[in-house]
Amino acid sequence: MKLILDFLTRLAENNNKPWFDEHKAEYLDVKQRFDEFALRFLHGVEQFDPRVKNLGLKDITYRIYRDVRFTDDKRPYKWHMGVYVCPRGKKSGMAGYYIHLEPSTDTFFICSGLYNPTKEVVASIREDIMLNGGAFHEALQGCADFQLPWDTALKKVPRGFDGEEEYSQYLRLKSYEIYKPVTRREVLSKAFLDHALAVLRRTQPYNEILNRAFDFVNEAD
């Protein structure tokens, strides 16, 4: 893992094509190491989430090359690496499990849940909370060391819902990912992957609720 973090740090400092081309062999070695890590992560998730099956590397990892067509930031390469394991692959729009490594900003975290879902899926999740708020709350209690994205939540319970219900504050959320920061020291530990999987295992009931809400919308379509 140290070789991966070291390369990403230097890439952040030298984010240009000549440098990358000069260090292409090193990048390919780092990519292979990260791919092996990603596959081990996938196989670990398969042990506790039966929805995750028949996925390959392209379904769970991301290209190093940035799409700079619609941004003023023209740096050509990503300076972080991530792996996202979810049913039907990373582009499915379903809830899953994510690990993020960004050493140049000392940003490391593990994440679960559903990031920035469509308005239809958000509506479905809110309906589920109104009907089964206790189950939703209990699933979150099982991973209380994770953080919800309250910073992007609505200020009030959305119109059409009862703000006096016991679990109505969850209706304010617009995104349903939960995340847990980890330290560089933890990432560099030989036990990091096993620890991450053990922690994320506790989030599986939460993901199951979100993915049932996702299924309801898509089956309706």
Side-chain angles (χ1 to χ4, degrees):
M1 185 61 74
K2 186 177 185 301
L3 290 175
I4 295 172
L5 301 190
D6 287 348
F7 178 82
L8 290 174
T9 299
R10 287 185 290 117
L11 177 59
E13 297 169 349
N14 303 276
N15 202 322
N16 59 77
K17 190 174 187 301
W19 186 90
F20 189 82
D21 287 346
E22 184 179 348
H23 294 82
K24 189 66 173 289
E26 184 180 356
Y27 164 67
L28 292 175
D29 177 64
V30 164
K31 181 180 183 300
Q32 180 178 346
R33 292 172 185 271
F34 187 79
D35 286 349
E36 291 170 356
F37 172 85
L39 286 174
R40 285 162 47 213
F41 181 57
L42 168 62
H43 296 152
V45 173
E46 288 173 339
Q47 302 305 308
F48 60 81
D49 192 331
R51 284 178 175 261
V52 177
K53 57 180 67 175
N54 301 321
L55 299 178
L57 269 175
K58 291 184 178 180
D59 301 311
I60 63 174
T61 57
Y62 301 86
R63 286 164 49 88
I64 195 73
Y65 306 97
R66 297 180 69 236
D67 184 351
V68 299
R69 292 174 297 172
F70 309 109
T71 177
D72 293 332
D73 184 349
K74 299 303 181 182
R75 286 177 290 182
Y77 308 106
K78 298 171 185 174
W79 49 93
H80 56 80
M81 284 185 169
V83 50
Y84 184 49
V85 175
C86 73
R88 307 177 200 171
K90 63 191 180 189
K91 296 182 179 180
S92 69
M94 299 185 72
Y97 313 87
Y98 179 70
I99 294 178
H100 184 89
L101 307 176
E102 190 173 336
S104 62
T105 61
D106 210 32
T107 303
F108 308 96
F109 61 86
I110 57 179
C111 186
S112 193
L114 192 53
Y115 173 72
N116 197 25
T118 65
K119 62 180 182 180
E120 293 81 9
V121 172
V122 170
S124 182
I125 294 170
R126 288 172 176 165
E127 289 288 348
D128 193 85
I129 292 171
M130 289 300 296
L131 294 172
N132 305 290
F136 187 88
H137 179 72
E138 183 178 353
L140 279 173
Q141 290 301 105
C143 38
D145 49 336
F146 283 74
Q147 303 174 36
L148 281 163
W150 290 113
D151 56 327
T152 62
L154 299 171
K155 292 183 179 180
K156 297 181 180 180
V157 171
R159 184 178 302 176
F161 293 95
D162 184 355
E164 299 303 317
E165 289 288 339
E166 184 176 3
Y167 304 108
S168 61
Q169 289 306 305
Y170 292 129
L171 304 174
R172 294 170 44 220
L173 294 167
K174 295 187 292 183
S175 193
Y176 285 87
E177 77 276 8
I178 54 175
Y179 64 98
K180 177 180 172 62
V182 293
T183 66
R184 182 186 297 261
R185 182 175 181 177
E186 288 174 307
V187 171
L188 290 173
S189 167
K190 292 182 179 180
F192 171 61
L193 182 57
D194 289 340
H195 174 70
L197 287 166
V199 171
L200 288 169
R201 178 185 291 267
R202 293 189 276 109
T203 72
Q204 189 275 332
Y206 177 67
N207 274 350
E208 181 61 25
I209 291 172
L210 299 179
N211 281 329
R212 284 204 309 265
F214 177 94
D215 289 342
F216 180 81
V217 170
N218 288 273
E219 288 172 2
D221 291 343

